[in-house]
Amino acid sequence: MTTPATTIDRALQHVYKEVLRRNPGEHEFHQAVEEVLGSLGPVVKRHPHYLAERVIERLCEPERQIIFRVPWTDDAGQVQINRGFRVEYSSVLGPYKGGLRFHPSVLLGTVKFLGFEQIFKNALTGLPIGGGKGGSDFDPKGRSDAEVMRFCQSFMTELYRHLGEYTDVPAGDIGVGGREIGYLFGQYKRITNRYEAGVITGKGLAWGGSRARTEATGYGTVYFANEMARHVGRSLDGQRVVVSGSGNVAIYAIEKVTEFGGTVVAASDSSGYVVDEAGIDLDLLKDLKEVRRERISRYAEEKGGDVRFVEGGNIWDVPCEVALPCATQNELDEEAATTLVRNGTHIVAEGANMPCTPGAVRVFQEADVLFGPGKAVNAGGVATSALEMQQNASRDSWSFEHTDERLGEIMRNIHESVVTTAEDYGRPGDYVFGANAAGFTAVADAMLAMGVI
Ligand code: GLU
């Protein structure tokens, strides 16, 4: 067990105890709740009615949780059974909004942790979207296109009845990209006989998708990291950067860091990491990961020279000034954080959802490393999904430049609101507190206005 990064205020301990009791074994969910509750002590002290009205307890309970069987037939004619989830967490700010994750590790508790984070992340964007998340323990790795299509069709055959542009709007996450969104939307359209473009985001550009949505999470992460640097009088220019992962978030984070003048020297996947001191060759990485769907060791094989592949190693051993964890939850622990601090890292910004363990966050905060939590840093993805919904609603299609500009503006606004909220509570520089307090307050106030819901 890692040490918690925060201690929960006495006034809120009963809430956390109740969450533990009612959700046994859901460690990631407990961790996500603990992280938010850890920030809310000063907020409820200033606004005691949140406690009296039991807003936090209400938010710890999803509005609706759907679990379903997903039967499908593989290429060998064998029946396969997976489990599908959609946790519709909060709809006070808009329709449930959040991605679908297809990965063998997905359990109900995983989806609940992601859904819980999503509520506050979406609130921080300032756009009218509620919070939800879904997915399946289906593993797309090694599956043919035809298998992925049959799985997606079976998944949507159950899920469609819970969705709608005004009800619940999924998108991608780990294991769900453009290919899966296409199969899911196609099946939704067939079953409902409606071309309801705003029912899912991350669509292809020819059929209702938004420009810059593919790039948005990675670009947004770097826009936020850049604001963090500027806030302390620094910049990303000339910085040595490590980005973990090599999926959608990592690839476009690497692209944007390079545009800002930084050098990304390492990237990874679940098999290990590569170090390329000349800077990661993005054309090769994109081809390997987005087209050929290869392991990252191929990168080193094809580059040769001094490029190294470290099998099963820890990417956080690679010295860097800026660290962007963009792979998955709990990928950066206390020990890795200690290594980063020792190596002089001064900014850590979470491109993935909850990639740093609570112990790691504590190490960063104690060492005065600027630490940006995922719910603020990676909000650019879902924000651009909301821009896609806007374009769908007005039957419009914006230019890349306009969409990217909106994204940049949203990320700057999130940074501003996180920083000013932290300052307002006398915790300057505490991005964890600022994000939790600002996100929670927006949701709680809307909820109270609507009565006991
Ligand atoms: N899965 C992404 C996230 O974690 C995007 C969700 C969306 O676009 O709805 O925020």
Side-chain angles (χ1 to χ4, degrees):
M1 275 302 274
T2 44
T3 336
T6 48
T7 35
I8 297 174
D9 192 278
R10 281 180 60 157
L12 291 165
Q13 275 174 13
H14 68 285
V15 179
Y16 187 55
K17 269 200 200 122
E18 192 58 5
V19 166
L20 293 179
R21 190 187 69 75
R22 299 181 76 172
N23 305 278
E26 296 179 346
H27 304 296
E28 292 160 333
F29 177 55
H30 302 163
Q31 185 183 329
V33 171
E34 183 178 7
E35 195 250 6
V36 171
L37 291 187
S39 296
L40 296 185
V43 180
V44 296
K45 216 156 277 160
R46 191 180 285 186
H47 305 284
H49 66 291
Y50 291 148
L51 262 189
E53 307 265 3
R54 303 185 70 182
V55 180
I56 304 172
E57 282 139 293
R58 286 191 247 164
L59 278 173
C60 288
E61 189 66 23
E63 287 178 14
R64 190 177 296 112
Q65 307 182 55
I66 303 146
I67 307 180
F68 51 101
R69 177 169 63 205
V70 189
W72 57 284
T73 308
D74 67 18
D75 286 347
Q78 276 285 322
V79 173
Q80 300 284 341
I81 300 110
N82 286 101
R83 188 175 286 172
F85 304 95
R86 187 74 182 164
V87 173
E88 298 183 331
Y89 227 112
S90 167
S91 61
V92 290
L93 294 180
Y96 306 108
K97 183 80 198 87
L100 297 170
R101 177 176 292 191
F102 292 169
H103 192 271
S105 65
V106 168
L107 296 167
L108 178 61
T110 321
V111 182
K112 280 164 70 177
F113 119 63
L114 290 162
F116 188 74
E117 288 281 293
Q118 200 84 42
I119 310 173
F120 308 108
K121 179 196 308 195
N122 294 4
L124 284 172
T125 67
L127 298 164
I129 41 178
K133 202 87 186 188
S136 173
D137 58 359
F138 171 71
D139 187 0
K141 214 174 277 162
R143 291 292 178 190
S144 69
D145 280 356
E147 289 178 315
V148 170
M149 181 185 74
R150 287 195 296 276
F151 172 80
C152 288
Q153 290 180 338
S154 181
F155 185 87
M156 187 52 89
T157 300
E158 168 59 32
L159 192 64
Y160 86 94
R161 69 191 82 245
H162 306 289
L163 306 183
E165 62 175 316
Y166 296 108
T167 312
D168 186 351
V169 183
D173 195 84
I174 294 173
V176 179
R179 173 181 62 169
E180 291 75 16
I181 295 294
Y183 296 147
L184 291 163
F185 180 66
Q187 185 71 351
Y188 182 87
K189 188 177 76 57
R190 267 170 100 193
I191 298 175
T192 59
N193 194 30
R194 281 162 63 86
Y195 203 107
E196 193 185 333
V199 76
I200 195 162
T201 59
K203 298 181 294 295
L205 292 186
W207 41 280
S210 171
R211 290 189 180 81
R213 175 63 190 88
T214 307
E215 294 83 357
T217 317
Y219 278 18
T221 294
V222 179
Y223 291 150
F224 197 94
N226 185 49
E227 288 304 306
M228 291 169 74
R230 275 162 41 95
H231 192 63
V232 291
R234 292 177 179 249
S235 105
L236 297 181
D237 190 21
Q239 297 291 289
R240 192 181 152 91
V241 183
V242 167
V243 175
S244 62
S246 48
N248 171 263
V249 183
I251 284 176
Y252 293 97
I254 295 172
E255 188 162 289
K256 196 46 87 177
V257 166
T258 313
E259 265 177 48
F260 274 106
T263 305
V264 178
V265 293
S268 62
D269 68 13
S270 56
S271 67
Y273 67 89
V274 289
V275 183
D276 187 345
E277 293 289 342
I280 293 289
D281 174 344
L282 206 55
D283 290 338
L284 176 58
L285 191 68
K286 277 187 189 172
D287 184 47
L288 286 174
K289 288 295 177 182
E290 292 181 338
V291 184
R292 290 194 266 157
R293 297 180 194 267
E294 286 270 10
R295 308 307 297 163
I296 204 152
S297 52
R298 290 286 310 167
Y299 181 95
E301 282 160 30
E302 295 189 16
K303 283 297 260 192
D306 290 341
V307 177
R308 329 182 254 131
F309 169 64
V310 182
E311 193 177 347
N314 193 332
I315 192 171
W316 307 115
D317 290 340
V318 181
C320 61
E321 289 155 311
V322 176
L324 304 178
C326 295
T328 194
Q329 67 266 22
N330 292 329
E331 56 158 303
L332 195 167
D333 63 12
E334 203 166 329
E335 204 184 317
T338 309
T339 307
L340 285 170
V341 169
R342 198 181 327 114
N343 286 337
T345 303
H346 58 84
I347 290 182
V348 179
E350 294 187 319
N353 290 312
M354 209 169 75
C356 297
T357 65
V361 177
R362 188 172 40 78
V363 169
F364 293 138
Q365 292 184 327
E366 283 172 6
D368 279 334
V369 170
L370 272 193
F371 173 77
K375 62 170 75 68
V377 174
N378 72 40
V382 76
T384 309
S385 278
L387 301 183
E388 182 172 330
M389 291 161 74
Q390 253 182 65
Q391 292 168 74
N392 295 148
S394 57
R395 308 227 184 278
D396 199 358
S397 169
W398 304 346
S399 69
F400 187 92
E401 291 67 30
H402 176 68
T403 319
D404 187 38
E405 199 158 302
R406 291 285 313 267
L407 168 64
E409 188 184 313
I410 292 165
M411 297 316 295
R412 284 191 296 278
N413 288 343
I414 297 176
H415 183 269
E416 176 71 15
S417 104
V418 168
V419 163
T420 50
T421 305
E423 279 166 5
D424 180 36
Y425 277 90
R427 321 235 331 213
D430 188 342
Y431 284 79
V432 172
F433 175 82
N436 286 333
F440 168 78
T441 307
V443 180
D445 289 345
M447 207 164 159
L448 285 173
M450 294 181 198
V452 180
I453 57 165

